[in-house]
PDB file of all heavy atoms in Angstrom:
ATOM      1  N   GLY A 249       7.832  -1.713  11.948  1.00 98.00           N
ATOM      2  CA  GLY A 249       8.515  -1.762  10.656  1.00 98.00           C
ATOM      3  C   GLY A 249       9.595  -0.716  10.488  1.00 98.00           C
ATOM      4  O   GLY A 249      10.265  -0.671   9.452  1.00 98.00           O
ATOM      5  N   LEU A 250       9.770   0.132  11.499  1.00 98.00           N
ATOM      6  CA  LEU A 250      10.827   1.145  11.397  1.00 98.00           C
ATOM      7  C   LEU A 250      11.661   1.249  12.662  1.00 98.00           C
ATOM      8  O   LEU A 250      12.728   1.852  12.658  1.00 98.00           O
ATOM      9  CB  LEU A 250      10.213   2.523  11.095  1.00 98.00           C
ATOM     10  CG  LEU A 250       9.852   2.735   9.625  1.00 98.00           C
ATOM     11  CD1 LEU A 250       8.847   3.857   9.471  1.00 98.00           C
ATOM     12  CD2 LEU A 250      11.105   3.049   8.807  1.00 98.00           C
ATOM     13  N   GLY A 251      11.121   0.672  13.749  1.00 98.00           N
ATOM     14  CA  GLY A 251      11.853   0.797  15.016  1.00 98.00           C
ATOM     15  C   GLY A 251      11.666   2.162  15.624  1.00 98.00           C
ATOM     16  O   GLY A 251      12.644   2.834  15.990  1.00 98.00           O
ATOM     17  N   VAL A 252      10.400   2.623  15.686  1.00 98.00           N
ATOM     18  CA  VAL A 252      10.089   3.867  16.396  1.00 98.00           C
ATOM     19  C   VAL A 252       9.017   3.551  17.435  1.00 98.00           C
ATOM     20  O   VAL A 252       8.238   2.614  17.268  1.00 98.00           O
ATOM     21  CB  VAL A 252       9.587   4.995  15.446  1.00 98.00           C
ATOM     22  CG1 VAL A 252      10.637   5.345  14.406  1.00 98.00           C
ATOM     23  CG2 VAL A 252       8.267   4.630  14.767  1.00 98.00           C
ATOM     24  N   GLY A 253       8.961   4.335  18.492  1.00 98.00           N
ATOM     25  CA  GLY A 253       7.957   4.118  19.531  1.00 98.00           C
ATOM     26  C   GLY A 253       6.601   4.643  19.089  1.00 98.00           C
ATOM     27  O   GLY A 253       6.524   5.481  18.185  1.00 98.00           O
ATOM     28  N   PRO A 254       5.518   4.160  19.720  1.00 97.00           N
ATOM     29  CA  PRO A 254       4.177   4.601  19.296  1.00 97.00           C
ATOM     30  C   PRO A 254       3.945   6.103  19.424  1.00 97.00           C
ATOM     31  O   PRO A 254       3.163   6.659  18.680  1.00 97.00           O
ATOM     32  CB  PRO A 254       3.223   3.807  20.204  1.00 97.00           C
ATOM     33  CG  PRO A 254       4.059   3.176  21.239  1.00 97.00           C
ATOM     34  CD  PRO A 254       5.469   3.153  20.779  1.00 97.00           C
ATOM     35  N   ARG A 255       4.653   6.754  20.349  1.00 97.00           N
ATOM     36  CA  ARG A 255       4.452   8.197  20.501  1.00 97.00           C
ATOM     37  C   ARG A 255       5.059   8.999  19.345  1.00 97.00           C
ATOM     38  O   ARG A 255       4.827  10.194  19.222  1.00 97.00           O
ATOM     39  CB  ARG A 255       4.995   8.687  21.844  1.00 97.00           C
ATOM     40  CG  ARG A 255       4.029   8.409  23.003  1.00 97.00           C
ATOM     41  CD  ARG A 255       4.450   9.136  24.263  1.00 97.00           C
ATOM     42  NE  ARG A 255       5.758   8.685  24.702  1.00 97.00           N
ATOM     43  CZ  ARG A 255       5.964   7.699  25.595  1.00 97.00           C
ATOM     44  NH1 ARG A 255       4.938   7.109  26.154  1.00 97.00           N
ATOM     45  NH2 ARG A 255       7.183   7.318  25.922  1.00 97.00           N
ATOM     46  N   ALA A 256       5.840   8.298  18.488  1.00 98.00           N
ATOM     47  CA  ALA A 256       6.422   8.998  17.330  1.00 98.00           C
ATOM     48  C   ALA A 256       5.373   9.255  16.250  1.00 98.00           C
ATOM     49  O   ALA A 256       5.558  10.096  15.381  1.00 98.00           O
ATOM     50  CB  ALA A 256       7.567   8.170  16.741  1.00 98.00           C
ATOM     51  N   VAL A 257       4.283   8.491  16.307  1.00 98.00           N
ATOM     52  CA  VAL A 257       3.223   8.665  15.295  1.00 98.00           C
ATOM     53  C   VAL A 257       2.180   9.630  15.869  1.00 98.00           C
ATOM     54  O   VAL A 257       1.357   9.248  16.691  1.00 98.00           O
ATOM     55  CB  VAL A 257       2.586   7.299  14.926  1.00 98.00           C
ATOM     56  CG1 VAL A 257       1.565   7.469  13.807  1.00 98.00           C
ATOM     57  CG2 VAL A 257       3.658   6.291  14.524  1.00 98.00           C
ATOM     58  N   HIS A 258       2.251  10.864  15.416  1.00 97.00           N
ATOM     59  CA  HIS A 258       1.384  11.895  16.019  1.00 97.00           C
ATOM     60  C   HIS A 258      -0.005  11.933  15.409  1.00 97.00           C
ATOM     61  O   HIS A 258      -0.954  12.358  16.060  1.00 97.00           O
ATOM     62  CB  HIS A 258       2.036  13.272  15.880  1.00 97.00           C
ATOM     63  CG  HIS A 258       3.379  13.334  16.538  1.00 97.00           C
ATOM     64  ND1 HIS A 258       4.466  13.934  15.972  1.00 97.00           N
ATOM     65  CD2 HIS A 258       3.818  12.817  17.716  1.00 97.00           C
ATOM     66  CE1 HIS A 258       5.515  13.829  16.778  1.00 97.00           C
ATOM     67  NE2 HIS A 258       5.153  13.145  17.824  1.00 97.00           N
ATOM     68  N   ALA A 259      -0.123  11.560  14.164  1.00 97.00           N
ATOM     69  CA  ALA A 259      -1.423  11.615  13.503  1.00 97.00           C
ATOM     70  C   ALA A 259      -1.476  10.554  12.404  1.00 97.00           C
ATOM     71  O   ALA A 259      -0.431  10.141  11.884  1.00 97.00           O
ATOM     72  CB  ALA A 259      -1.642  13.000  12.902  1.00 97.00           C
ATOM     73  N   VAL A 260      -2.685  10.111  12.107  1.00 98.00           N
ATOM     74  CA  VAL A 260      -2.852   9.061  11.092  1.00 98.00           C
ATOM     75  C   VAL A 260      -3.886   9.514  10.062  1.00 98.00           C
ATOM     76  O   VAL A 260      -5.007   9.890  10.416  1.00 98.00           O
ATOM     77  CB  VAL A 260      -3.289   7.720  11.733  1.00 98.00           C
ATOM     78  CG1 VAL A 260      -3.273   6.604  10.698  1.00 98.00           C
ATOM     79  CG2 VAL A 260      -2.408   7.351  12.924  1.00 98.00           C
ATOM     80  N   LEU A 261      -3.471   9.480   8.809  1.00 98.00           N
ATOM     81  CA  LEU A 261      -4.347   9.871   7.705  1.00 98.00           C
ATOM     82  C   LEU A 261      -4.708   8.622   6.911  1.00 98.00           C
ATOM     83  O   LEU A 261      -3.816   7.916   6.420  1.00 98.00           O
ATOM     84  CB  LEU A 261      -3.609  10.876   6.800  1.00 98.00           C
ATOM     85  CG  LEU A 261      -4.341  11.340   5.544  1.00 98.00           C
ATOM     86  CD1 LEU A 261      -5.559  12.197   5.891  1.00 98.00           C
ATOM     87  CD2 LEU A 261      -3.403  12.143   4.631  1.00 98.00           C
ATOM     88  N   GLY A 262      -5.990   8.339   6.794  1.00 98.00           N
ATOM     89  CA  GLY A 262      -6.439   7.169   6.032  1.00 98.00           C
ATOM     90  C   GLY A 262      -6.845   7.594   4.635  1.00 98.00           C
ATOM     91  O   GLY A 262      -7.693   8.467   4.461  1.00 98.00           O
ATOM     92  N   VAL A 263      -6.215   6.998   3.650  1.00 98.00           N
ATOM     93  CA  VAL A 263      -6.561   7.338   2.265  1.00 98.00           C
ATOM     94  C   VAL A 263      -7.652   6.387   1.793  1.00 98.00           C
ATOM     95  O   VAL A 263      -7.565   5.167   2.017  1.00 98.00           O
ATOM     96  CB  VAL A 263      -5.322   7.271   1.347  1.00 98.00           C
ATOM     97  CG1 VAL A 263      -5.670   7.777  -0.046  1.00 98.00           C
ATOM     98  CG2 VAL A 263      -4.172   8.080   1.934  1.00 98.00           C
ATOM     99  N   THR A 264      -8.696   6.944   1.206  1.00 98.00           N
ATOM    100  CA  THR A 264      -9.800   6.122   0.734  1.00 98.00           C
ATOM    101  C   THR A 264     -10.352   6.699  -0.565  1.00 98.00           C
ATOM    102  O   THR A 264     -10.391   7.920  -0.733  1.00 98.00           O
ATOM    103  CB  THR A 264     -10.910   6.027   1.815  1.00 98.00           C
ATOM    104  OG1 THR A 264     -12.095   5.556   1.214  1.00 98.00           O
ATOM    105  CG2 THR A 264     -11.222   7.362   2.453  1.00 98.00           C
ATOM    106  N   LYS A 265     -10.713   5.818  -1.476  1.00 98.00           N
ATOM    107  CA  LYS A 265     -11.370   6.305  -2.696  1.00 98.00           C
ATOM    108  C   LYS A 265     -12.798   6.716  -2.372  1.00 98.00           C
ATOM    109  O   LYS A 265     -13.370   6.243  -1.381  1.00 98.00           O
ATOM    110  CB  LYS A 265     -11.432   5.172  -3.728  1.00 98.00           C
ATOM    111  CG  LYS A 265     -10.176   5.038  -4.528  1.00 98.00           C
ATOM    112  CD  LYS A 265     -10.275   3.896  -5.522  1.00 98.00           C
ATOM    113  CE  LYS A 265      -8.910   3.626  -6.088  1.00 98.00           C
ATOM    114  NZ  LYS A 265      -8.746   2.331  -6.703  1.00 98.00           N
TER     115      LYS A 265
END
Side-chain angles (χ1 to χ4, degrees):
L250 280 160
V252 300
R255 280 191 298 267
V257 184
H258 301 137
V260 188
L261 177 68
V263 186
T264 164
K265 276 179 192 161

